[in-house]
């Protein structure tokens, strides 16, 4: 079972999550002065996959990972995401909008948000290619679009506000993303006006609107 920890989160939130979840070990690229905890840690650069003794397997553990909610109604709450729930979500994804041969999927959701689970495991369990779009590239719309175009990304997950920015950008710059056929909108309200604008501007692509809470393994609608 892993706990997804976004290093860019405020130190106070990270401290709380580590203490509340009672993790046994931290995996870091270097010791962090932010973390005022006395836990054993493993540096990423020193991990050897042959040293299985450092990562003992837990037989029959049904929990894949822990995701913490935003805490908008109080303190963040840790949610246990079951392996069976993730596989159920992935199977639905593969049936409802299956991969068409070899595809290239964008991986851009932060690991502390539940959507990263199926955005990551969904393609990999089917042998598809993942292209990582880092935060720096996401904050620069030109770099973002260029990365999608250069890597010939075929499907992407994004919030509706980013979709609106991309439609405005593509229209003004008259850019084309001929390989990007599947647009999956999640996390924010998707208006009918934006849907109409999408199909008017990109008529040969497919737009999915899916959402759900962390407790329901991300998507139920």
């Amino acid at each position: 079972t892993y706990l997804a920890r976004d290093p860019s989160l405020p130190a106070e939130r990270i401290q709380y999550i580590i203490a509340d979840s009672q993790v046994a070990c931290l995996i870091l690229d270097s010791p962090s002065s932010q973390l005022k905890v006395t836990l054993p840690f493993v540096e990423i650069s020193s991990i050897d996959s042959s040293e299985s003794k450092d990562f003992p397997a837990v037989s029959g553990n049904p929990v894949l990972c822990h995701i913490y909610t935003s805490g908008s109604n109080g303190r963040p709450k840790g949610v246990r995401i079951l392996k069976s729930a993730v596989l159920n979500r992935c199977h639905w994804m593969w049936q409802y909008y299956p991969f068409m041969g070899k595809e290239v999927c964008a991986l851009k959701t932060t690991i502390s948000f539940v959507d990263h689970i199926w955005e990551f495991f969904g393609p990999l369990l089917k042998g598809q290619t993942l292209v990582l779009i880092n935060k720096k590239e996401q904050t620069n719309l030109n770099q973002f679009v260029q990365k999608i175009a250069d890597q010939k990304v075929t499907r992407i997950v994004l919030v509706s506000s980013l979709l609106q920015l991309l439609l405005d950008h593509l229209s003004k710059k008259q850019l084309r993303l001929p390989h990007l056929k599947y647009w999956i909108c999640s996390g924010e309200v998707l208006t009918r006006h934006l849907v109409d604008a999408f199909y008017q501007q990109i008529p040969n692509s497919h737009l999915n609107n899916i959402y759900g809470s962390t407790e329901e393994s991300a998507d139920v609608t």
Side-chain angles (χ1 to χ4, degrees), residues 183-191 195 207-211 221:
W183 303 64
I184 301 158
C185 218
S186 180
E188 292 178 357
V189 173
L190 180 63
T191 65
V195 172
L207 178 64
N208 272 0
N209 181 29
I210 54 179
Y211 58 91
T221 301

Side-chain angles (χ1 to χ4, degrees), residues 75-95:
R75 282 193 164 188
K77 178 178 62 176
V79 178
R80 294 178 178 180
I81 307 295
L82 301 180
K83 295 175 183 177
S84 56
V86 172
L87 287 174
N88 184 56
R89 166 63 179 79
C90 287
H91 275 291
W92 170 80
M93 168 186 177
W94 299 329
Q95 293 174 15

Side-chain angles (χ1 to χ4, degrees), residues 88-125:
N88 184 56
R89 166 63 179 79
C90 287
H91 275 291
W92 170 80
M93 168 186 177
W94 299 329
Q95 293 174 15
Y96 184 64
Y97 47 107
F99 295 111
M100 308 302 290
K102 286 296 181 182
E103 291 200 34
V104 179
C105 304
L107 178 62
K108 54 174 284 298
T109 301
T110 174
I111 62 171
S112 62
F113 188 57
V114 68
D115 280 5
H116 97 271
I117 298 174
W118 59 265
E119 192 176 343
F120 179 77
F121 288 106
L124 287 188
L125 289 174

Side-chain angles (χ1 to χ4, degrees), residues 130-146:
L130 276 179
V131 171
L132 176 62
I133 302 179
N134 61 44
K135 290 187 177 181
K136 183 179 179 181
E137 292 168 328
Q138 292 181 45
T139 56
N140 185 310
L141 208 56
N142 285 321
Q143 287 186 20
F144 186 51
V145 172
Q146 196 62 53

Side-chain angles (χ1 to χ4, degrees), residues 26-40:
L26 298 176
I27 299 177
L28 308 167
D29 55 359
S30 63
S32 174
S33 59
Q34 277 188 315
L35 303 177
K36 300 175 182 178
V37 292
T38 55
L39 284 173

Side-chain angles (χ1 to χ4, degrees), residues 40-55:
F41 69 89
V42 178
E43 289 192 47
I44 291 176
S45 59
S46 68
I47 290 179
D48 183 346
S49 60
S50 65
E51 297 177 0
S52 58
K53 61 182 182 296
D54 292 335
F55 302 94

Side-chain angles (χ1 to χ4, degrees), residues 144-171:
F144 186 51
V145 172
Q146 196 62 53
K147 181 75 171 278
I148 295 172
D150 291 346
Q151 297 295 326
K152 298 180 179 179
V153 169
T154 60
R155 61 177 70 197
I156 193 169
V157 181
L158 71 176
V159 293
S160 57
S161 54
L162 179 55
L163 175 60
Q164 182 67 68
L165 285 174
L166 285 173
L167 291 181
D168 293 343
H169 184 83
L170 291 171
S171 176

